[in-house]
Amino acid sequence: MSTTRPCSPGDRGPEPSGASVASEGEATASSAGPGSPGGGQARRLSFDGESGVVPLARDFARQALYAWGWLPAATADRRAAAEDVLLVVSELVTNACLHAEGPDELWIACDKKVIRIEVSDKGTGQPAPRTPHRAGRPGGHGMFIVQRLCLDWGVVRAPGVAGKTVWAELGAPA
């Protein structure tokens, strides 16, 4: 697990005016706040009362990638980068489903260099790649995949608040 940059959600900069957490599965989209590098964009999805959250999260992330110009991909490298983002979203949301009674929220942001994915849940567990990793055995590959695909990842817990936010960052395609 990465401990090099345990960035908290509050380190993203101030929320843009008018941005709020979506409810009942609605998504909000906004430009990132002034503290965001490169003037990126961010989107948030609440899973409150939703079922089928993994495909919902993938569809939400795919729509963001289209809106941000990652898709349709002009090259194989850009297509692979978009698929990596969708895979990491799937793995983080699946982990929240399996180990933390489901995700509360997905937050995804992009600037010119990095895409950041955050999944919040009420779980107390600490995600970590299974060690040793056994590629031929079923299960236990999610955080290993996240670790291999991402520039960095980590877990943030707010003092006095139940749950955690698992974040991961991937490089934007060239």
Side-chain angles (χ1 to χ4, degrees), residues 81 84-85 88 113-117 149-151 168-172:
D84 287 351
V85 169
V88 169
K113 295 182 181 181
V114 174
I115 191 160
R116 183 175 173 107
I117 301 160
L149 292 178
C150 294
L151 299 170
E169 293 180 341
L170 295 95

Side-chain angles (χ1 to χ4, degrees), residues 59-99:
D59 289 344
F60 175 78
R62 184 177 291 109
Q63 290 170 7
L65 294 175
Y66 271 101
W68 298 335
W70 284 48
L71 292 172
T75 66
D77 286 344
R78 291 181 69 82
R79 189 170 30 263
E83 287 299 323
D84 287 351
V85 169
L86 298 175
L87 180 55
V88 169
V89 165
S90 295
E91 293 299 338
L92 294 180
V93 172
T94 297
N95 235 26
C97 291
L98 293 175
H99 306 292

Side-chain angles (χ1 to χ4, degrees), residues 10 18 58 92 100 102 104-105 108 154:
R58 278 184 70 92
L92 294 180
D104 292 330
E105 182 178 272
I108 183 170

Side-chain angles (χ1 to χ4, degrees), residues 139-164:
H141 304 291
M143 293 313 294
F144 180 78
I145 291 168
V146 170
Q147 183 178 40
R148 294 292 301 249
L149 292 178
C150 294
L151 299 170
D152 205 0
W153 71 277
V155 178
V156 177
R157 295 183 192 278
V161 178
K164 65 186 173 296

